[in-house]
Amino acid sequence: MEKIILWLLVIIGIILFVISFKKPPFKNWIIVFLLTSYFAEFLGVLVVEEKMLEYPKRFLSSYFSSSILYEYLLFPVVCVYFCQTTYTSKFLSIVFQCILYTSALTITEVFFEKNTDLIKYHSWTWMHTFISTFILMMFIRFLIQMINKKK
């Protein structure tokens, strides 16, 4: 069952990836996607190496100890959508939307942790996921805003 879920997530991720880059400005979304991938992989490896959580069933499991599907595709695509929907928003709206996106990701992760072998928490909790995802998404959002102001 886990392999089916992983392949469905790959397909959904690729479709969302293609759709997300149709909205201008294209360069912003590439930067957001790549920065999110970089930081997510860096933090993901730290968490897995510290044995705070593990991914018993992984996409390309023989090559990576962390979840490359989440860190290189799904989370960066969600972050692109977050940045797109908050592109012209004020601070409180950005925070509110970040809470919504982060909540959706956290609820999904908790569902997978409880009902599948895709992820297993050890010392990690849903609160760690929520806080780290929220901080990373806000960091990327304000980083792209700073990059755009330097023009």
Side-chain angles (χ1 to χ4, degrees):
M1 183 64 172
E2 282 80 6
K3 292 290 184 190
I4 294 170
I5 294 170
L6 288 172
W7 278 104
L8 283 172
L9 290 172
V10 168
I11 292 166
I12 290 167
I14 290 170
I15 290 169
L16 291 175
F17 175 82
V18 171
I19 293 169
S20 71
F21 286 98
K22 291 187 177 197
K23 185 176 182 179
F26 179 77
K27 80 163 176 65
N28 282 358
W29 313 140
I30 290 291
I31 292 169
V32 167
F33 186 87
L34 295 174
L35 283 173
T36 305
S37 298
Y38 175 76
F39 287 115
E41 176 62 16
F42 177 76
L43 296 172
V45 167
L46 286 176
V47 168
V48 169
E49 293 295 321
E50 291 297 318
K51 300 193 183 329
M52 297 175 80
L53 60 80
E54 68 174 309
Y55 300 99
K57 306 280 185 187
R58 298 180 304 275
F59 191 72
L60 301 176
S61 60
S62 58
Y63 301 106
F64 301 93
S65 61
S66 62
S67 176
I68 63 158
L69 177 58
Y70 180 75
E71 293 161 359
Y72 281 118
L73 180 63
L74 299 173
F75 182 53
V77 165
V78 169
C79 200
V80 168
Y81 278 99
F82 165 66
C83 290
Q84 287 176 343
T85 60
T86 61
Y87 192 64
T88 59
S89 299
K90 302 284 186 213
F91 180 75
L92 286 178
S93 178
I94 293 169
V95 170
F96 179 72
Q97 286 188 53
C98 191
I99 290 170
L100 290 177
Y101 280 92
T102 302
S103 296
L105 289 171
T106 303
I107 290 167
T108 303
E109 181 177 285
V110 168
F111 175 82
F112 284 147
E113 197 273 333
K114 292 191 182 303
N115 298 299
T116 70
D117 280 335
L118 294 176
I119 184 170
K120 292 294 173 209
Y121 293 161
H122 296 297
S123 60
W124 193 260
T125 67
W126 68 268
M127 187 61 78
H128 291 101
T129 296
F130 185 88
I131 292 169
S132 61
T133 302
F134 180 85
I135 290 170
L136 185 54
M137 287 178 72
M138 290 296 286
F139 173 73
I140 296 294
R141 171 64 178 79
F142 290 112
L143 192 58
I144 196 67
Q145 186 174 357
M146 286 178 17
I147 290 169
N148 284 330
K149 285 188 179 188
K150 293 290 182 188
K151 289 182 187 179

